[in-house]
Amino acid sequence: DEARRQAQLDADAAEEALKDMRRQLADATEDVAAEHAEALAAVQAVAEDARVRERAAKLEADVEALRQELDVGARALEQAAEVEEALVAFARARRREEAAAETAEEEYRAVEAEAETEEAEAQAQGRGFILAKPGTLLHGPL
């Protein structure tokens, strides 16, 4: 009886020790799982940080490329403005030339009309003259 009781007590103690070990193992497993989760989160954070840095570097490169394109566009606009100014100046000069040509033509017609009038008057009076070149009259007998 005593041996059986002792064996039962030993079995109960062993079972309690086994239960205690299982609890400790479960606690240790939970601790390891929590540490694993923390380590995984840290790794993911580092990976995310690296992706963010990589994306930031790409965005910086994109911004620089856009800045260069804007510089090229600004230079093109400046050149276009210079061309426009040159075209406006050319148009003004052409209008001045056309106006001067019209004025010269009007003056030529006026001189020609005056010469014709003088010729008609000279013929009516019986005198002759020679028209040497536009605007210059040479008087004298024919």
Side-chain angles (χ1 to χ4, degrees), residues 102-116:
E102 285 180 24
T103 302
E105 191 174 323
E106 289 172 3
E107 289 174 359
Y108 175 78
R109 278 193 231 118
V111 167
E112 192 176 59
E114 186 180 328
E116 288 174 4

PDB file of all heavy atoms in Angstrom, residues 102-116:
ATOM      1  N   GLU A 102       5.020 104.733-100.694  1.00  0.00           N
ATOM      2  CA  GLU A 102       3.777 105.397-101.088  1.00  0.00           C
ATOM      3  C   GLU A 102       3.970 106.905-101.172  1.00  0.00           C
ATOM      4  O   GLU A 102       3.516 107.554-102.121  1.00  0.00           O
ATOM      5  CB  GLU A 102       2.655 105.067-100.096  1.00  0.00           C
ATOM      6  CG  GLU A 102       2.093 103.687-100.246  1.00  0.00           C
ATOM      7  CD  GLU A 102       0.991 103.403 -99.234  1.00  0.00           C
ATOM      8  OE1 GLU A 102       0.357 104.367 -98.733  1.00  0.00           O
ATOM      9  OE2 GLU A 102       0.761 102.217 -98.961  1.00  0.00           O
ATOM     10  N   THR A 103       4.670 107.465-100.186  1.00  0.00           N
ATOM     11  CA  THR A 103       4.945 108.906-100.184  1.00  0.00           C
ATOM     12  C   THR A 103       5.777 109.282-101.402  1.00  0.00           C
ATOM     13  O   THR A 103       5.479 110.271-102.092  1.00  0.00           O
ATOM     14  CB  THR A 103       5.671 109.314 -98.887  1.00  0.00           C
ATOM     15  OG1 THR A 103       4.868 108.948 -97.771  1.00  0.00           O
ATOM     16  CG2 THR A 103       5.956 110.793 -98.848  1.00  0.00           C
ATOM     17  N   ALA A 104       6.817 108.495-101.684  1.00  0.00           N
ATOM     18  CA  ALA A 104       7.661 108.776-102.855  1.00  0.00           C
ATOM     19  C   ALA A 104       6.849 108.666-104.134  1.00  0.00           C
ATOM     20  O   ALA A 104       6.991 109.492-105.050  1.00  0.00           O
ATOM     21  CB  ALA A 104       8.842 107.811-102.884  1.00  0.00           C
ATOM     22  N   GLU A 105       5.970 107.671-104.210  1.00  0.00           N
ATOM     23  CA  GLU A 105       5.134 107.501-105.407  1.00  0.00           C
ATOM     24  C   GLU A 105       4.175 108.672-105.563  1.00  0.00           C
ATOM     25  O   GLU A 105       3.977 109.193-106.671  1.00  0.00           O
ATOM     26  CB  GLU A 105       4.358 106.179-105.305  1.00  0.00           C
ATOM     27  CG  GLU A 105       3.682 105.795-106.599  1.00  0.00           C
ATOM     28  CD  GLU A 105       3.051 104.418-106.504  1.00  0.00           C
ATOM     29  OE1 GLU A 105       3.614 103.524-105.860  1.00  0.00           O
ATOM     30  OE2 GLU A 105       1.979 104.253-107.101  1.00  0.00           O
ATOM     31  N   GLU A 106       3.598 109.098-104.426  1.00  0.00           N
ATOM     32  CA  GLU A 106       2.694 110.256-104.488  1.00  0.00           C
ATOM     33  C   GLU A 106       3.455 111.509-104.927  1.00  0.00           C
ATOM     34  O   GLU A 106       2.959 112.299-105.746  1.00  0.00           O
ATOM     35  CB  GLU A 106       2.034 110.477-103.120  1.00  0.00           C
ATOM     36  CG  GLU A 106       1.005 109.427-102.763  1.00  0.00           C
ATOM     37  CD  GLU A 106       0.508 109.542-101.330  1.00  0.00           C
ATOM     38  OE1 GLU A 106       0.914 110.485-100.606  1.00  0.00           O
ATOM     39  OE2 GLU A 106      -0.281 108.672-100.926  1.00  0.00           O
ATOM     40  N   GLU A 107       4.675 111.678-104.392  1.00  0.00           N
ATOM     41  CA  GLU A 107       5.484 112.839-104.786  1.00  0.00           C
ATOM     42  C   GLU A 107       5.832 112.755-106.271  1.00  0.00           C
ATOM     43  O   GLU A 107       5.788 113.758-106.986  1.00  0.00           O
ATOM     44  CB  GLU A 107       6.762 112.915-103.937  1.00  0.00           C
ATOM     45  CG  GLU A 107       6.504 113.320-102.504  1.00  0.00           C
ATOM     46  CD  GLU A 107       7.758 113.255-101.637  1.00  0.00           C
ATOM     47  OE1 GLU A 107       8.842 112.877-102.156  1.00  0.00           O
ATOM     48  OE2 GLU A 107       7.651 113.575-100.445  1.00  0.00           O
ATOM     49  N   TYR A 108       6.159 111.561-106.762  1.00  0.00           N
ATOM     50  CA  TYR A 108       6.488 111.381-108.169  1.00  0.00           C
ATOM     51  C   TYR A 108       5.278 111.735-109.037  1.00  0.00           C
ATOM     52  O   TYR A 108       5.403 112.444-110.029  1.00  0.00           O
ATOM     53  CB  TYR A 108       6.938 109.938-108.436  1.00  0.00           C
ATOM     54  CG  TYR A 108       7.171 109.654-109.884  1.00  0.00           C
ATOM     55  CD1 TYR A 108       8.332 110.090-110.510  1.00  0.00           C
ATOM     56  CD2 TYR A 108       6.227 108.951-110.643  1.00  0.00           C
ATOM     57  CE1 TYR A 108       8.556 109.834-111.840  1.00  0.00           C
ATOM     58  CE2 TYR A 108       6.441 108.697-111.974  1.00  0.00           C
ATOM     59  CZ  TYR A 108       7.605 109.136-112.577  1.00  0.00           C
ATOM     60  OH  TYR A 108       7.827 108.900-113.910  1.00  0.00           O
ATOM     61  N   ARG A 109       4.092 111.236-108.646  1.00  0.00           N
ATOM     62  CA  ARG A 109       2.874 111.554-109.409  1.00  0.00           C
ATOM     63  C   ARG A 109       2.603 113.051-109.396  1.00  0.00           C
ATOM     64  O   ARG A 109       2.186 113.624-110.418  1.00  0.00           O
ATOM     65  CB  ARG A 109       1.678 110.784-108.835  1.00  0.00           C
ATOM     66  CG  ARG A 109       1.622 109.370-109.343  1.00  0.00           C
ATOM     67  CD  ARG A 109       0.271 108.730-109.029  1.00  0.00           C
ATOM     68  NE  ARG A 109       0.534 107.449-108.388  1.00  0.00           N
ATOM     69  CZ  ARG A 109       0.190 107.112-107.176  1.00  0.00           C
ATOM     70  NH1 ARG A 109      -0.499 107.925-106.432  1.00  0.00           N
ATOM     71  NH2 ARG A 109       0.519 105.952-106.684  1.00  0.00           N
ATOM     72  N   ALA A 110       2.842 113.695-108.263  1.00  0.00           N
ATOM     73  CA  ALA A 110       2.617 115.140-108.170  1.00  0.00           C
ATOM     74  C   ALA A 110       3.578 115.878-109.093  1.00  0.00           C
ATOM     75  O   ALA A 110       3.170 116.808-109.824  1.00  0.00           O
ATOM     76  CB  ALA A 110       2.787 115.611-106.732  1.00  0.00           C
ATOM     77  N   VAL A 111       4.841 115.464-109.087  1.00  0.00           N
ATOM     78  CA  VAL A 111       5.834 116.109-109.960  1.00  0.00           C
ATOM     79  C   VAL A 111       5.488 115.841-111.423  1.00  0.00           C
ATOM     80  O   VAL A 111       5.567 116.728-112.276  1.00  0.00           O
ATOM     81  CB  VAL A 111       7.264 115.613-109.614  1.00  0.00           C
ATOM     82  CG1 VAL A 111       8.256 116.018-110.686  1.00  0.00           C
ATOM     83  CG2 VAL A 111       7.677 116.142-108.256  1.00  0.00           C
ATOM     84  N   GLU A 112       5.079 114.612-111.715  1.00  0.00           N
ATOM     85  CA  GLU A 112       4.704 114.253-113.077  1.00  0.00           C
ATOM     86  C   GLU A 112       3.499 115.070-113.533  1.00  0.00           C
ATOM     87  O   GLU A 112       3.452 115.571-114.655  1.00  0.00           O
ATOM     88  CB  GLU A 112       4.398 112.751-113.139  1.00  0.00           C
ATOM     89  CG  GLU A 112       4.269 112.211-114.528  1.00  0.00           C
ATOM     90  CD  GLU A 112       4.064 110.707-114.510  1.00  0.00           C
ATOM     91  OE1 GLU A 112       3.082 110.239-113.903  1.00  0.00           O
ATOM     92  OE2 GLU A 112       4.901 110.004-115.100  1.00  0.00           O
ATOM     93  N   ALA A 113       2.507 115.203-112.625  1.00  0.00           N
ATOM     94  CA  ALA A 113       1.317 116.000-112.960  1.00  0.00           C
ATOM     95  C   ALA A 113       1.717 117.450-113.179  1.00  0.00           C
ATOM     96  O   ALA A 113       1.229 118.112-114.119  1.00  0.00           O
ATOM     97  CB  ALA A 113       0.279 115.892-111.851  1.00  0.00           C
ATOM     98  N   GLU A 114       2.597 117.954-112.351  1.00  0.00           N
ATOM     99  CA  GLU A 114       3.066 119.336-112.507  1.00  0.00           C
ATOM    100  C   GLU A 114       3.796 119.499-113.831  1.00  0.00           C
ATOM    101  O   GLU A 114       3.619 120.493-114.547  1.00  0.00           O
ATOM    102  CB  GLU A 114       3.983 119.701-111.341  1.00  0.00           C
ATOM    103  CG  GLU A 114       4.416 121.158-111.331  1.00  0.00           C
ATOM    104  CD  GLU A 114       5.324 121.451-110.149  1.00  0.00           C
ATOM    105  OE1 GLU A 114       5.160 120.835-109.079  1.00  0.00           O
ATOM    106  OE2 GLU A 114       6.207 122.311-110.317  1.00  0.00           O
ATOM    107  N   ALA A 115       4.618 118.481-114.183  1.00  0.00           N
ATOM    108  CA  ALA A 115       5.352 118.540-115.452  1.00  0.00           C
ATOM    109  C   ALA A 115       4.394 118.515-116.628  1.00  0.00           C
ATOM    110  O   ALA A 115       4.566 119.259-117.619  1.00  0.00           O
ATOM    111  CB  ALA A 115       6.323 117.379-115.538  1.00  0.00           C
ATOM    112  N   GLU A 116       3.356 117.682-116.522  1.00  0.00           N
ATOM    113  CA  GLU A 116       2.375 117.629-117.604  1.00  0.00           C
ATOM    114  C   GLU A 116       1.644 118.960-117.729  1.00  0.00           C
ATOM    115  O   GLU A 116       1.365 119.442-118.838  1.00  0.00           O
ATOM    116  CB  GLU A 116       1.385 116.490-117.361  1.00  0.00           C
ATOM    117  CG  GLU A 116       1.984 115.127-117.582  1.00  0.00           C
ATOM    118  CD  GLU A 116       1.044 113.997-117.193  1.00  0.00           C
ATOM    119  OE1 GLU A 116      -0.124 114.269-116.805  1.00  0.00           O
ATOM    120  OE2 GLU A 116       1.477 112.838-117.276  1.00  0.00           O
TER     121      GLU A 116
END
